[in-house]
Amino acid sequence: MTKAATSNRTVDLSAPLKRGDESIRAVVLRKPATGELRGLALTDIMRMDIDALTTIIPRISTPALTEEECRRMDVADLTNVGVEILGFFTGQSPSA
């Protein structure tokens, strides 16, 4: 597996987000670059602080979720997204 292939992680949402007529059922996350962490404390991300997650997710997600969409996300889905983000910092392989 190439490095590029391991730097993206897909999270299927148990409660899809509505965006107009569109239903977002999955989010692809890419490993954040240093600049995308600006204004955030790594400790807040590691603690899965809601404000930190709703700041970083729009910067690294496809489709690019808005902060408001992140705040409407089901808590289980937000937790799953947070766990995948933590994997980027801990070097753990993506969840199956």
Side-chain angles (χ1 to χ4, degrees):
M1 187 176 282
T2 66
K3 184 177 180 182
T6 60
S7 62
N8 290 334
R9 298 172 183 209
T10 301
V11 179
D12 293 321
L13 303 178
S14 60
L17 293 169
K18 294 297 262 180
R19 181 185 283 172
D21 293 335
E22 182 184 359
S23 186
I24 301 170
R25 299 179 183 285
V27 177
V28 178
L29 303 169
R30 64 180 164 67
K31 186 174 184 176
T34 303
E36 291 164 324
L37 299 172
R38 70 189 177 286
L40 294 169
L42 289 178
T43 54
D44 289 342
I45 295 171
M46 298 288 203
R47 290 185 306 115
M48 294 202 321
D49 176 81
I50 299 296
D51 291 329
L53 290 178
T54 59
T55 299
I56 191 67
I57 293 169
R59 296 177 183 178
I60 64 170
S61 64
T62 303
L65 299 179
T66 65
E67 186 174 322
E68 176 59 31
E69 287 169 329
C70 293
R71 292 192 182 281
R72 285 185 296 142
M73 193 179 287
D74 182 86
V75 69
D77 290 333
L78 183 65
T79 301
N80 289 334
V81 169
V83 167
E84 292 300 328
I85 292 170
L86 286 179
F88 291 131
F89 299 103
T90 63
Q92 294 184 359
S93 59
S95 299

